[in-house]
């Protein structure tokens, strides 16, 4: 009882906390690396805790920061002759607006997918704990890298936002596939015609694509401006006037949803519950009259409707659904196609199949809390242990000399891991079943292994482990030779974004210039036979011969106890002494 009273007292104290009016900087706690992360905050002058406020989330561009970006969105950018560093040292007077405004720090220049995407939503949760926020008036804007982030966040979760404004956007790969998701989301684009960093053709193309998809899009082009389009687009805080004309539509009459991942497979009153991760799935659902719907799908195995509260839905009456040409009358709002046509029933979830949070690709392992784990198996000497540790540390160091990131990721040896680590973090495992005790514990459940003599190959893949995922890197380091490929569009982001170019698995010889095979596991974590044959044909990879996880109904979780004791003694194998060229995760 005493603990409950303390919790209630702490919550009351937090809700009653008084913040000064105007611009300031606060922090939220990030579970990614157990750090306090900054974000800039604006509080209206006449803030009243008894009412709900609209919220603007503003995302900064590459090389900028949260403080400078808050200035810009209010139209108070750099003074004449003032450097970004000088402008970041203070806040000038802001025009008073009746909005809460926040700007996160993208860990420096990390983009807005993965870890920083999680940061944005963690920051949102922190803001909502501090202030009363109107959920129907959440707005999103950003500049360049942040403009691309605004489009990415807006199109992956369109039902969260009332409107978005993107300035000279640099979008992450895959964003264009989701354009239809903006059919109910007002989008405003700004671009300078003389922009030499992000060509004006980018926004012109986005404007055309969004208009063709039925989005309520507006486009403003400034003929004489270069990359500094924010000076005009945000002048005098005018973006707040535009935002104030929009309120979220919770129940649009039609929903057009595209997704290749379970994590982004829900919007408004539609949720895709069965898809093949990595394959773009689509559903177009329209209320044509009360309780009457027309629905068209592609690459969808199952979905559910969530129409409660929709003005065209009557819960007491059955639905009449024309679903890919089939007419169904039912009160059930879940639909499945098991290969013999659509039926009004939920899709059974096969044990061990991909699902939200455990679906790949490799980048998902790195998008939240994760630990880099090197092995101690094979009775290695001190020099070898140090080499393995240094390899893991190199992979965990995402910063470069010219791009310092606010990120501190943990590196650990296999025998240091405990139950709490396995519950709270994904793992990036370096080595093989002979050299890494965690891999050894999972060996019988893994789909393939790099052979001990495969000195010039790199094998990298994602795999489920209990309720989380691991990435296994055997042989050459997964980024070997990436600087000579065209995988990464922005060279200064190579250490942080190379994994974004991978699917579920990749095997290469010598470097990423020579990929043998790469792809995605199927819905039950099976490797397509053709890809497995290519791997085995090299002589570098051995197939494990495991059955489908859906067939066995088993998981691949590492035993809850004994993780700290894993190593060569547990795996019963000696480490290979093959000479290793370049960086090798032995």
């Amino acid at each position: 009882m005493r603990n409950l009273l303390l919790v209630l007292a702490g919550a009351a104290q937090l809700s009653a906390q008084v913040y000064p009016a105007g611009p300031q900087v606060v922090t939220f706690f990030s579970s990614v690396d157990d750090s306090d992360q900054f974000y800039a905050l604006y509080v209206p002058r006449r803030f009243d805790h008894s009412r709900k406020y609209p919220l603007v989330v503003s995302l900064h561009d590459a090389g900028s920061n949260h403080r400078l970006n808050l200035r810009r969105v209010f139209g108070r950018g750099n003074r004449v002759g003032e450097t970004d560093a000088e402008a970041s040292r203070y806040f000038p007077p802001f025009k008073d607006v009746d909005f809460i405004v926040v700007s996160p720090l993208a860990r420096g220049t990390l983009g807005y997918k993965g870890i920083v995407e999680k940061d944005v939503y963690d920051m949102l949760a922190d803001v909502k704990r501090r202030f009363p926020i109107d959920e129907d008036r959440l707005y999103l804007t950003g500049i360049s890298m942040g403009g691309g982030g605004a489009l990415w966040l807006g199109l992956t979760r369109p039902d969260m936002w009332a409107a978005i404004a993107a300035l000279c956007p640099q979008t992450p790969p895959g964003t264009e596939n989701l354009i239809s998701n903006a059919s109910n989301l007002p989008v405003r684009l700004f671009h300078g015609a003389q922009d030499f960093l992000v060509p004006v053709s980018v926004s012109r193309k986005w404007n055309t694509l969004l208009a063709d998809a039925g989005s309520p899009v507006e486009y403003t082009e400034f003929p004489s401006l270069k990359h500094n389009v924010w000076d005009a687009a945000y002048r005098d805080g005018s973006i707040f006037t535009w935002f104030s004309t929009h309120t979220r539509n919770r129940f649009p009459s039609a929903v057009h949803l595209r997704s290749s991942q379970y994590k982004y497979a829900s919007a408004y009153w539609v949720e895709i519950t069965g898809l093949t991760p990595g394959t773009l799935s689509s559903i177009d659902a329209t209320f044509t009259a009360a309780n009457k719907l027309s629905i068209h799908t592609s690459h969808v195995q199952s979905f559910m409707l969530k129409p409660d509260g929709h003005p065209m839905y009557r819960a007491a009456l059955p639905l009449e659904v024309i679903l890919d040409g089939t007419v169904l009358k039912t009160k059930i709002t879940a639909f499945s196609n098991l290969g013999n046509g659509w039926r009004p029933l939920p899709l059974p979830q096969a044990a061990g199949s991909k699902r939200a949070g455990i679906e790949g690709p490799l980048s998902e392992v790195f998008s939240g809390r994760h630990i880099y784990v090197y092995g101690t198996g094979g009775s290695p000497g001190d020099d070898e242990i140090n080499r393995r540790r240094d390899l893991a540390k190199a992979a965990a160091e995402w910063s470069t000399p010219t791009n310092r990131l606010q990120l501190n990721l943990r590196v650990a040896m296999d025998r240091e891991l405990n139950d709490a680590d396995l519950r709270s973090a994904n793992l990036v495992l370096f080595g093989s079943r002979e050299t890494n005790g965690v891999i050894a514990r999972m060996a019988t459940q893994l789909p393939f292994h790099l052979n001990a003599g495969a000195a010039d190959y790199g094998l990298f893949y994602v795999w489920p482990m209990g309720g989380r995922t691991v990435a296994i890197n055997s042989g050459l380091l997964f980024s070997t030779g990436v600087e000579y490929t065209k995988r990464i569009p922005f060279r200064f982001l190579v250490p942080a974004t190379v994994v974004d170019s991978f699917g579920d698995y990749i095997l290469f010889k010598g470097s990423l210039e020579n990929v043998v095979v790469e792809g995605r596991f199927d819905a039950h974590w099976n490797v397509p036979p053709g890809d497995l044959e290519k791997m085995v044909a090299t002589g570098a990879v051995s197939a494990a011969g495991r059955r489908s996880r859906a067939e066995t109904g088993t998981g691949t979780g590492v035993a809850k106890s004994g993780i700290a004791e894993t190593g060569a003694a547990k795996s019963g194998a000696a480490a290979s002494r093959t000479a290793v060229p370049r960086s090798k995760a032995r």
Side-chain angles (χ1 to χ4, degrees), residues 302-383:
S302 66
F303 67 92
M304 64 182 298
L305 305 176
K306 299 175 286 185
D308 287 344
H310 199 291
M312 299 183 73
Y313 176 63
R314 308 290 182 268
L317 301 176
L319 291 170
E320 182 177 320
V321 182
I322 302 176
L323 176 51
D324 291 336
T326 300
V327 179
L328 301 171
K329 292 186 178 181
T330 178
K331 285 190 174 182
I332 297 174
T333 57
F335 301 84
S336 299
N337 188 340
L338 302 178
N340 56 351
W342 286 103
R343 297 290 184 271
L345 72 151
L347 180 71
Q349 184 72 45
S353 61
K354 290 184 174 182
R355 62 185 189 275
I358 308 178
E359 58 177 315
L362 273 158
S363 58
E364 287 301 302
V365 178
F366 298 79
S367 64
R369 185 179 184 85
H370 61 282
I371 304 171
Y372 296 79
V373 183
Y374 62 96
T376 57
S379 302
D382 290 344
D383 288 346

Side-chain angles (χ1 to χ4, degrees), residues 349-537:
Q349 184 72 45
S353 61
K354 290 184 174 182
R355 62 185 189 275
I358 308 178
E359 58 177 315
L362 273 158
S363 58
E364 287 301 302
V365 178
F366 298 79
S367 64
R369 185 179 184 85
H370 61 282
I371 304 171
Y372 296 79
V373 183
Y374 62 96
T376 57
S379 302
D382 290 344
D383 288 346
E384 174 63 13
I385 285 289
N386 290 337
R387 191 197 66 80
R388 296 179 189 180
R389 182 186 63 243
D390 291 344
L391 183 72
K393 289 176 68 174
E397 179 53 71
W398 290 17
S399 294
T400 67
T402 57
N403 181 31
R404 301 303 302 172
L405 302 176
Q406 305 295 317
L407 190 63
N408 184 25
L409 300 169
R410 181 184 167 197
V411 176
M413 64 177 66
D414 50 6
R415 59 177 178 241
E416 289 178 338
L417 298 184
N418 56 38
D419 292 349
D421 293 328
L422 298 179
R423 288 193 301 268
S424 67
N426 296 328
L427 304 178
V428 183
L429 305 172
F430 295 94
S432 65
R433 55 186 165 181
E434 292 85 9
T435 64
N436 190 305
V438 182
I439 299 175
R441 285 295 183 103
M442 301 174 62
T444 59
Q445 290 295 323
L446 296 177
F448 32 61
H449 296 279
L450 192 70
N451 295 330
D456 201 29
Y457 283 86
L459 176 63
F460 190 39
Y461 63 98
V462 61
W463 196 251
M465 184 184 73
R468 308 192 72 83
T469 51
V470 300
I472 297 175
N473 186 185
S474 301
L476 299 177
L477 188 63
F478 60 80
S479 59
T480 301
V482 69
E483 62 271 23
Y484 304 113
T485 71
K486 295 182 179 180
R487 286 179 171 270
I488 307 302
F490 309 119
R491 293 294 181 184
F492 55 87
L493 293 181
V494 166
T497 58
V498 59
V499 292
D500 280 340
S501 69
F502 300 140
D504 288 346
Y505 55 84
I506 183 169
L507 175 70
F508 60 89
K509 182 177 182 180
S511 80
L512 287 172
E513 298 173 276
N514 185 24
V515 174
V516 177
V517 63
E518 61 181 313
R520 300 292 296 259
F521 295 112
D522 70 13
H524 304 299
W525 292 97
N526 297 306
V527 61
D531 284 357
L532 187 59
E533 290 170 2
K534 291 177 183 177
M535 290 185 178
V536 174

